[in-house]
Amino acid sequence: MHVTIEQAEKAIQAARAKAVELGTQMCIAIVDSGGNLKAFHRMDGAWVGSIDIAQKKAKTAVFFGMKTGQIGALSQPGGSLYGIEHSNQGLITFPGGIPIVDADGEMSGAIGVSGSSVENDDAVALAGASAIGDTELPDHPWRT
Amino acid sequence: MHVTIEQAEKAIQAARAKAVELGTQMCIAIVDSGGNLKAFHRMDGAWVGSIDIAQKKAKTAVFFGMKTGQIGALSQPGGSLYGIEHSNQGLITFPGGIPIVDADGEMSGAIGVSGSSVENDDAVALAGASAIGDTELPDHPWRT
Amino acid sequence: MHVTIEQAEKAIQAARAKAVELGTQMCIAIVDSGGNLKAFHRMDGAWVGSIDIAQKKAKTAVFFGMKTGQIGALSQPGGSLYGIEHSNQGLITFPGGIPIVDADGEMSGAIGVSGSSVENDDAVALAGASAIGDTELPDHPWRT
Amino acid sequence: MHVTIEQAEKAIQAARAKAVELGTQMCIAIVDSGGNLKAFHRMDGAWVGSIDIAQKKAKTAVFFGMKTGQIGALSQPGGSLYGIEHSNQGLITFPGGIPIVDADGEMSGAIGVSGSSVENDDAVALAGASAIGDTELPDHPWRT
């Protein structure tokens, strides 16, 4: 199943609340399990450059069913996935993109957040995803 | 001035209410006066193909400060702007994109709606834009 | 030879003066004979959507050594060049793009103007090109 | 507020004067606060490949409200923003892109310069930006 608009808005509001708590201005994107945009929210004062990054983080997380930072650990020079960012019209592989997993253990979509340090981006994404589901999928051979 | 996130969400909710009234499933996009995405909302059941169209309609409306359909009337075969859709990484020039003009007469952004007939798309966009501003800018030689 | 920056700026100032005379706000682009951007000028209040169109008009004019409107006359439905706008990462084939030809009859670049009616765009482009050269090349089998 | 064309031309002339002083041939781009091109100037003899780099540097600086080199320091292999260049249809994260901040402390646009060593590019960009404003925005958690 795909994330519903009601769930997407709930995730955005939870992410936004966390962003406010951290004193940051974020772009927050929700995509469905096909990687297609469901909802987007740019807080006042957020970087214009984060619009695309937030969406690419969400897309990247759902494309491979894992947190973006897990892919980034493999895409460094010499790593097994070096250069993967060139695929799919651009991926973002540093933290801030997190899958959203429903009660049946199926991925319903993902959230992507950009606008501050990667630690803050990740914390805000986690707050959003956790408001409507889990964030870990069953094991997969690709995962580290 | 750019449209704020509070205004963008108000416009989306007004557009959504109109879409529900019409029995349609819409994608609704709000961009700021620089054409950059501010907020996006895809109703459950809306066409995936409308995600991009809604955003391109909003972008097109803000890029030329007029309703998308006004450009489309000039871009038909034989028309003075035939082929303009090839610019700006793709424009959409049929109805459903409407500028948002603030109380000072300045364009603060635009709304783009896609998901039903162009008449419905336009009605939903108008409901959204009207909730937070005007939709007409001062005269300009290009307007029909 | 390529248009020099001194010539490009002279053409822009002449085009701008014509735009002011017409009461319009224009984007004005100059490309060299390779189609690469030499200079660009966006008047205050010009449409954001015209930034790309002005550049594509200049590029289109230099790519085929003729005024953009001449190509547009052939690219209509049923015409011999129908759909040519899909090439070269997007062409614009309505008036407003004009080649710049030096004293030896060689094309040194082109000017592209966007921001008003195509008649105004073309008049402003002509004012710019004429300030530094001719606008017609010797015959070519493709020309109508 | 967006940078005006008068300011943009003043910045370009100041940047050009610095480039001449350094004996370099530069591409100089000015974008507004939405990242849209305002003015562009390619000195005679400048690399064709610098046309795009200058524009991407200006865009990158305005997208994140900081000098391009600050982002590049974080986007190296192993860095927290590794691969960010894949976003926004291509960023350039080495020095030569600098925000332009007005008297109210708001970012009105950015300048991007390319054509020589990054030290020279940066010096020329600084000369241009300083001619019309400041170059530093208030603190933000992402800055180094």
Side-chain angles (χ1 to χ4, degrees):
Chain A
M1 282 297 299
H2 291 308
V3 64
T4 65
I5 187 64
E6 190 181 359
Q7 291 172 319
E9 293 202 322
K10 189 173 172 188
I12 284 176
Q13 289 311 315
R16 182 189 168 90
K18 184 69 178 178
V20 169
E21 179 192 321
L22 293 170
T24 59
Q25 295 80 39
M26 298 293 199
C27 289
I28 307 162
I30 308 287
V31 299
D32 66 21
S33 62
N36 296 307
L37 190 64
K38 185 71 182 181
F40 178 83
H41 180 105
R42 173 157 54 111
M43 293 171 70
D44 294 336
W47 290 319
V48 170
S50 286
I51 298 170
D52 184 59
I53 295 176
Q55 294 183 62
K56 279 195 167 58
K57 283 182 180 177
K59 198 180 68 168
T60 300
V62 93
F63 275 4
F64 301 103
M66 67 182 82
K67 292 175 181 169
T68 49
Q70 292 177 269
I71 301 172
L74 299 172
S75 71
Q76 298 296 316
S80 58
L81 303 182
Y82 176 62
I84 194 173
E85 295 84 0
H86 291 274
S87 71
N88 295 287
Q89 302 182 295
L91 299 177
I92 289 292
T93 58
F94 48 82
I98 298 182
I100 299 168
V101 181
D102 68 17
D104 299 327
E106 292 205 4
M107 182 168 58
S108 62
I111 185 170
V113 173
S114 175
S116 179
S117 66
V118 293
E119 292 77 13
N120 283 340
D121 291 356
D122 199 50
V124 169
L126 187 62
S130 302
I132 60 170
D134 290 322
T135 61
E136 295 288 347
L137 281 163
D139 277 349
H140 184 288
W142 226 45
R143 311 268 178 87
T144 51
Chain B
M1 281 296 299
H2 291 308
V3 63
T4 64
I5 187 64
E6 189 181 0
Q7 291 172 319
E9 293 203 320
K10 189 174 172 187
I12 283 176
Q13 290 311 315
R16 182 189 168 90
K18 185 68 178 180
V20 168
E21 179 193 319
L22 293 170
T24 59
Q25 295 80 39
M26 297 293 198
C27 288
I28 307 161
I30 308 285
V31 299
D32 66 22
S33 63
N36 296 309
L37 190 65
K38 186 71 183 181
F40 179 82
H41 180 105
R42 172 156 55 107
M43 294 172 68
D44 295 335
W47 291 319
V48 171
S50 286
I51 298 171
D52 185 57
I53 294 176
Q55 292 182 64
K56 279 194 167 61
K57 283 183 180 175
K59 197 180 68 168
T60 301
V62 93
F63 274 3
F64 302 102
M66 67 182 83
K67 293 175 181 169
T68 49
Q70 293 177 270
I71 301 171
L74 299 172
S75 70
Q76 298 298 315
S80 60
L81 303 182
Y82 177 62
I84 194 172
E85 296 81 2
H86 291 272
S87 72
N88 293 288
Q89 303 181 297
L91 299 177
I92 291 292
T93 58
F94 49 82
I98 298 181
I100 299 168
V101 180
D102 69 17
D104 298 328
E106 291 205 5
M107 184 168 55
S108 62
I111 185 170
V113 173
S114 175
S116 179
S117 66
V118 292
E119 291 77 12
N120 283 341
D121 290 356
D122 198 49
V124 168
L126 188 61
S130 301
I132 60 170
D134 290 321
T135 61
E136 296 288 347
L137 282 165
D139 278 348
H140 187 287
W142 227 43
R143 310 268 178 88
T144 50
Chain C
M1 282 296 298
H2 292 307
V3 64
T4 64
I5 187 64
E6 190 182 0
Q7 292 172 319
E9 293 202 322
K10 189 174 173 188
I12 284 176
Q13 289 311 316
R16 182 189 167 89
K18 183 70 177 179
V20 169
E21 179 192 320
L22 293 170
T24 59
Q25 296 81 39
M26 297 293 199
C27 289
I28 306 162
I30 308 286
V31 300
D32 66 20
S33 62
N36 297 307
L37 191 64
K38 185 72 182 179
F40 179 83
H41 180 104
R42 173 157 53 110
M43 294 171 68
D44 295 335
W47 290 318
V48 170
S50 286
I51 298 170
D52 185 60
I53 294 176
Q55 293 182 64
K56 280 194 166 58
K57 283 182 179 177
K59 197 180 69 169
T60 300
V62 94
F63 275 4
F64 302 103
M66 67 183 82
K67 293 176 181 168
T68 49
Q70 292 177 269
I71 301 171
L74 300 172
S75 71
Q76 298 296 317
S80 58
L81 303 181
Y82 176 63
I84 194 172
E85 295 84 0
H86 291 274
S87 71
N88 294 287
Q89 303 182 295
L91 299 176
I92 290 292
T93 58
F94 48 82
I98 298 182
I100 299 169
V101 180
D102 68 18
D104 298 327
E106 291 204 5
M107 182 168 58
S108 62
I111 185 170
V113 173
S114 173
S116 179
S117 66
V118 292
E119 291 78 13
N120 283 340
D121 291 356
D122 198 49
V124 169
L126 187 61
S130 302
I132 60 170
D134 290 321
T135 61
E136 297 287 346
L137 281 164
D139 278 348
H140 184 289
W142 226 46
R143 310 267 179 87
T144 49
Chain D
M1 280 298 298
H2 291 308
V3 63
T4 64
I5 186 64
E6 191 181 359
Q7 292 173 318
E9 294 203 322
K10 190 174 173 188
I12 284 176
Q13 290 312 315
R16 181 188 168 89
K18 184 69 178 178
V20 168
E21 179 192 321
L22 294 170
T24 59
Q25 295 80 39
M26 298 293 199
C27 289
I28 307 161
I30 308 285
V31 299
D32 67 20
S33 62
N36 296 309
L37 190 65
K38 186 72 182 179
F40 178 82
H41 181 105
R42 172 157 56 107
M43 294 171 69
D44 294 336
W47 291 319
V48 171
S50 286
I51 298 171
D52 184 58
I53 294 176
Q55 294 182 63
K56 280 194 167 59
K57 283 182 180 176
K59 197 180 70 168
T60 300
V62 93
F63 274 3
F64 302 102
M66 67 182 83
K67 293 175 181 168
T68 49
Q70 293 177 270
I71 300 171
L74 299 172
S75 70
Q76 299 298 314
S80 60
L81 303 182
Y82 177 61
I84 193 172
E85 295 82 2
H86 291 273
S87 73
N88 293 289
Q89 304 181 296
L91 299 177
I92 292 292
T93 59
F94 49 81
I98 298 182
I100 300 169
V101 180
D102 69 17
D104 298 328
E106 292 205 4
M107 183 168 56
S108 62
I111 186 170
V113 173
S114 174
S116 179
S117 66
V118 293
E119 291 77 12
N120 283 341
D121 291 355
D122 199 48
V124 169
L126 187 62
S130 301
I132 60 169
D134 291 321
T135 61
E136 296 287 347
L137 282 165
D139 277 349
H140 188 287
W142 227 44
R143 311 267 178 89
T144 50

